[in-house]
Amino acid sequence: MTLERVVFGQVTILDLVVAAGILLAGIILAKALQIYLRRSLSERLRRDHVQLISKIVYYTTSVVSILVVLSVLGFDPSGLLVAGGIAGIVFGFASQSIVANLMSGLFLLFERPVKIGEQVNIGEVSGFVEDINILSTTIRRYDGLYVRIPNEKVFTADITNFVSHVVRRFEYVVGIRYSDNADEAIRIIHRVIDNEPFALKRPEPQVFVDNLGDNSVNLVVRIWAPVSEWYTLKMRLLWILKQSLEAEGIEIAFPQRVIWYGSGGKREEHPEEDRDSLGKPARRNQGQSA
Amino acid sequence: MFGLHKFPVRINRDGLSITLEKLDQHCLYRRESSDGVVEKILLEAPKEIVLQPVEPLNQPSRITPYLLIEFATTVIVPPRGEQFVFLRFPVEIGVFLPRKEQFDLLETISLSRKKFSLYGTPREGHVTRYWNTPVATAAPKTDPLYEGVLKLEIHNDAGEWLPVKRAVFDANGMRIFYKKNLVAAQARMTIVSDRKAETEFINAPLEKGMESSIELFKPGKLVVTTARYYMGEGI
C-alpha cells in the first residue's frame, strides 16, 4: 500500500495526509471561529475588544492544531521545551528585533495605551489605529496613507491619545480693534458659544483679553467639546464668531502701519491723526520721519 | 399631535411642518423645523405614521445616553427625608413607521434647546445632555412638544440636611408617558452622602390615561446593568 509507505522514522504517507488534514481543518476552524466571533460580537462589544478576543481564539486554535499535528507525526510536544530552549537561544540572537517587537506587542496588548479605532500620535505619525498585531501596529494617517510601525518603536515612543478622555479643549485667538469694546465682544462670543450644542456648558468656556498686541486687542476663546465632536465644531465656530462680531460692529483687526511725514525735522501737529485707524496711539516711524 | 396619523399626513404647528404625500410611484416624507429641512423618499406609502415623545438624547446626534438636569434653585433635603419635586425635561419627537406590532424609527425631531455638558472629570466623567429647569412643588404646565414634566422623588439616606443642585440619569430605561397635553416621567434619587447619589427612572405614569412611549434607548443584550446612574461627582 502506498499510504503505508514509511517516509521518515515511523511516519507514513497516511500520517502525513492525516496531519495535513488536521492542520488544514485547524486553520479553517480558527478562521471560522474568528469570523463568527467578529460578526456575533461586533454589535455588543467595542471593536478593539472584539479584535483582541478573536485574535486570542485564532492563535490558540492554531497552536492547538499544530500540537495535534506534531503528535500525529510522532513528535512529543514536551520535547519542544528542551529543543525550544536550545533553539530559542540560537534563534533569539538571530532575531532580536523580531523578539523585541513580539514582546512589545504583548505588552501593548495588555497595557493598551492605544486601542483600535482611536486617534493617536505615535512618534511623528498621527492618525487612526487600524490594527495592533503581535509584531506591528498599523496606523491610517489623516491623509489616508497606511503606516506600519514596529511594536518596539510604539512601545518606546511618546504616545498621545487624542480620544482617551471624553472631552477636550480647543482655543482661538480673536484680535479686535483697539477702538472696539472688548466687553461687548466677550458678551457676543459667549452668546455664540451658548448657542452651540456641543460647546459644553461645563467645563465652562473661557473668553478673556489675553494681551494688547501691536495691531489688535487679543481675546482668547477656550471651549470644551466632546472628543467625537470637537474638530467639526472647531472648524465651524470661528467663522460664526467672526460673522457675529462683525454683525454688531466689531471688526477683526489686521496689521496696519501709520507713516508720519514731517518737515524741517519738526513733527507737525495733526491732533486728529494722533491715533491710528485702529484707535491706538500712533507711533512714529523714525526711518520715515523727515 | 402625538399619536397615529393616517396617510396622507399634513401637520403644521409651532414652526414644525411634517408632510407625507404621494410622489409619483413612491412617497415623500418632508419635515421642516428650526433645524432645517429633512426629506426622505419611502418606496412604498405607509398606511400611517406614529408620533411619540422619545428620550431627548438623539439630536443633533446620539453621543451619550446620559441626561443632566440642573436645578435653577438649589433644593435642600432634610435628613432621612422623602420628598418630591416637579422638574421639566426636554422632549424629542420620534416619527415611527408601524410594522405589525413593532415600530421602525423614521427620524427624531428636537424643538427644544440642545446643549451638552460634562458631569465629572474629563478622565472619568460622562458627557451629558444638559437641561436647566425651575423647581416646582406642583406639576407645571408645559408645551409637550418642547418639555415634559418630571416628578422626582428624593430620598435622603444621609443624616444631615443636604443641598441638591442637579440630577443625572441614564436614559437606558427611561420611561416616558404621554397624553394629549402632557408628557411626563417619574424618577427617584437616593442621596447617599453630600456628594453621592443614585438615580433611576420609575416605570409608572404620572396620571391615569397616559400611554407609554416607545423606548429608543435599551440596555444591550449582553450588558448586565440596571438603568440606575451613580452620581459620584457631586449632587
Side-chain angles (χ1 to χ4, degrees):
Chain A
M1 289 288 286
T2 314
L3 290 175
E4 298 292 331
R5 207 174 76 197
V6 174
V7 184
F8 59 89
Q10 293 181 337
V11 178
T12 62
I13 291 178
L14 181 63
D15 291 333
L16 282 178
V17 171
V18 171
I22 290 171
L23 188 63
L24 189 65
I27 290 168
I28 291 170
L29 178 68
K31 202 71 196 167
L33 276 172
Q34 191 180 34
I35 293 168
Y36 172 76
L37 284 171
R38 279 185 182 168
R39 282 185 183 166
S40 60
L41 299 178
S42 62
E43 289 184 3
R44 298 172 185 178
L45 297 177
R46 276 174 31 187
R47 193 178 154 209
D48 56 307
H49 289 171
V50 174
Q51 293 272 18
L52 181 64
I53 292 170
S54 64
K55 272 179 193 167
I56 289 171
V57 169
Y58 177 79
Y59 288 119
T60 308
T61 313
S62 301
V63 168
V64 169
S65 315
I66 290 166
L67 290 175
V68 171
V69 166
L70 290 175
S71 129
V72 166
L73 294 177
F75 290 102
D76 182 4
S78 62
L80 285 175
L81 292 173
V82 180
I86 299 163
I89 295 167
V90 177
F91 192 70
F93 278 112
S95 56
Q96 276 185 19
S97 64
I98 293 173
V99 175
N101 282 324
L102 180 75
M103 293 309 294
S104 301
L106 290 174
F107 282 120
L108 284 173
L109 281 174
F110 289 107
E111 188 194 343
R112 308 180 78 208
V114 297
K115 301 183 188 80
I116 293 167
E118 288 185 337
Q119 295 180 57
V120 297
N121 180 76
I122 300 172
E124 293 177 353
V125 180
S126 291
F128 296 90
V129 179
E130 286 285 293
D131 206 353
I132 304 169
N133 288 307
I134 295 294
L135 294 177
S136 65
T137 296
T138 51
I139 304 285
R140 176 166 49 88
R141 277 185 5 186
Y142 292 123
D143 58 7
L145 296 185
Y146 167 99
V147 181
R148 175 189 176 278
I149 310 174
N151 280 338
E152 189 186 6
K153 277 192 179 175
V154 177
F155 194 66
T156 53
D158 291 339
I159 296 175
T160 306
N161 191 324
F162 298 121
V163 295
S164 178
H165 295 167
V166 292
V167 295
R168 65 166 294 176
R169 197 185 74 185
F170 63 92
E171 184 176 299
Y172 300 125
V173 176
V174 178
I176 60 170
R177 297 175 303 185
Y178 271 84
S179 56
D180 290 327
N181 184 339
D183 288 333
E184 182 66 6
I186 289 171
R187 188 190 61 76
I188 294 164
I189 292 170
H190 269 300
R191 190 189 66 210
V192 171
I193 294 170
D194 200 41
N195 286 334
E196 282 296 324
F198 292 127
L200 296 179
K201 186 81 178 171
R202 286 194 189 81
E204 287 183 16
Q206 295 176 321
V207 185
F208 58 92
V209 176
D210 184 53
N211 64 68
L212 305 175
D214 287 344
N215 303 290
S216 59
V217 175
N218 293 324
L219 308 178
V220 164
V221 182
R222 290 179 179 157
I223 300 164
W224 287 83
V227 284
S228 58
E229 311 295 330
W230 80 275
Y231 195 60
T232 311
L233 182 64
K234 186 183 177 182
M235 285 194 296
R236 206 165 56 80
L237 194 57
L238 188 56
W239 189 247
I240 298 173
L241 286 176
K242 190 248 184 199
Q243 288 177 315
S244 304
L245 288 168
E246 287 185 348
E248 305 220 18
I250 293 174
E251 298 275 330
I252 305 298
F254 50 88
Q256 290 188 21
R257 174 156 296 185
V258 176
I259 301 171
W260 287 78
Y261 291 94
S263 59
K266 283 187 176 179
R267 179 186 167 189
E268 290 182 355
E269 293 297 328
H270 296 283
E272 61 277 7
E273 292 178 12
D274 276 352
R275 302 185 78 80
D276 65 16
S277 62
L278 301 172
K280 186 182 174 187
R283 284 176 293 183
R284 293 178 66 189
N285 188 323
Q286 298 296 327
Q288 296 292 327
S289 298
Chain B
M1 200 177 93
F2 294 124
L4 196 139
H5 295 263
K6 296 269 187 203
F7 182 86
V9 178
R10 280 197 191 87
I11 299 169
N12 263 299
R13 219 198 109 178
D14 292 352
L16 173 65
S17 160
I18 296 173
T19 57
L20 184 67
E21 293 173 326
K22 198 86 178 162
L23 176 74
D24 300 327
Q25 300 299 311
H26 306 308
C27 176
L28 178 69
Y29 170 85
R30 181 182 162 86
R31 184 261 294 172
E32 211 172 324
S33 69
S34 56
D35 282 345
V37 177
V38 170
E39 285 189 343
K40 294 182 181 184
I41 293 172
L42 281 69
L43 296 182
E44 189 180 302
K47 289 177 184 167
E48 63 231 349
I49 59 170
V50 172
L51 270 61
Q52 292 202 357
V54 293
E55 302 93 330
L57 294 151
N58 304 285
Q59 293 293 330
S61 57
R62 192 188 275 204
I63 62 163
T64 177
Y66 304 113
L67 172 65
L68 186 154
I69 296 182
E70 188 177 71
F71 303 173
T73 314
T74 302
V75 172
I76 311 291
V77 189
R80 309 287 170 198
E82 288 184 18
Q83 308 285 333
F84 66 86
V85 291
F86 286 93
L87 310 169
R88 297 164 186 242
F89 68 94
V91 164
E92 284 180 13
I93 303 160
V95 183
F96 296 91
L97 295 166
R99 170 172 56 90
K100 292 183 181 174
E101 291 182 357
Q102 292 185 317
F103 297 89
D104 295 323
L105 182 68
L106 188 57
E107 72 153 337
T108 55
I109 306 161
S110 174
L111 302 179
S112 52
R113 183 172 183 264
K114 294 170 279 289
K115 193 72 180 168
F116 291 82
S117 185
L118 175 70
Y119 177 73
T121 62
R123 183 177 165 80
E124 293 177 339
H126 288 132
V127 173
T128 59
R129 168 85 191 261
Y130 171 85
W131 194 251
N132 190 283
T133 170
V135 182
T137 50
K141 279 204 182 331
T142 58
D143 183 337
L145 293 184
Y146 292 81
E147 283 183 312
V149 174
L150 177 67
K151 184 182 177 185
L152 180 65
E153 293 177 17
I154 306 177
H155 301 251
N156 183 0
D157 286 352
E160 55 186 323
W161 289 80
L162 289 174
V164 180
K165 297 174 189 166
R166 64 185 80 87
V168 185
F169 299 97
D170 185 343
N172 291 303
M174 181 176 186
R175 300 304 300 267
I176 300 175
F177 295 84
Y178 70 97
K179 62 182 185 182
K180 193 179 175 188
N181 291 317
L182 177 65
V183 172
Q186 294 194 75
R188 183 182 298 118
M189 180 182 200
T190 307
I191 301 169
V192 181
S193 71
D194 61 340
R195 284 189 59 79
K196 292 171 184 166
E198 204 170 67
T199 62
E200 63 179 326
F201 283 101
I202 300 169
N203 184 12
L206 185 66
E207 293 178 5
K208 281 184 182 172
M210 297 186 86
E211 285 186 51
S212 175
S213 271
I214 298 161
E215 288 174 78
L216 296 182
F217 283 77
K218 288 176 183 172
K221 286 175 186 174
L222 280 184
V223 183
V224 187
T225 57
T226 63
R228 289 179 183 172
Y229 186 86
Y230 178 70
M231 295 175 65
E233 299 288 339
I235 56 175

